[in-house]
Amino acid sequence: MCIRDRYQRRVRGSAKGAMGVQLIPPFNFGYVEENLYRCGLPVELNFHFLDKLNLKTIIYLASEPPSQQLVNFIEDNEIDLERLEIDSRGSASKPISEETILQGLSIVLHNARYPICVMDTQGRHRVGTLIGCLRKLQRWTLTAILEEYRRFAGSKVRLANEQFIELFDLDLVSLPQDNSTLPCLDF
């Protein structure tokens, strides 16, 4: 066996789980905090990977309904689906609403809902805005917040989303009484 064949066999095997099933993360998947993840909409190919996260909650930020395959996966794994309302009539450059961000943060700020995965169509703008507002709540610098947003948005950065994050009023966020147990607010 030549070196190239051994390398390809090792690479193919490294993406497999214990039972030989490939573990392929969804598009734009990212680790936000302990037991808090982000991604674009998963397809059936990604379900084995998501299953390994032992999710309790999915925050769904897309205007179109989830695919039947995703709904079946959610039901089969007894995951709570939080489908937050997205106005599909607005322009693509219009940022997500403040109300939707506050609803998403209220879910993220409840420890009993973890592990959580936040997802939208591509895992870029809506997810990026919600995570950016969470980072602001965590007292990250604006530079660090926008760098993270841009890393996932790639060449599709929306200045309206960056401005939304910058101007987001933290006084609107209702923190749980005991926020000492929240990994996302460990400061």
Side-chain angles (χ1 to χ4, degrees), residues 111-125:
N111 205 25
R113 306 298 299 269
Y114 280 72
I116 297 174
C117 186
V118 184
M119 59 180 65
D120 70 18
T121 310
Q122 296 292 320
R124 290 181 182 144
H125 304 297

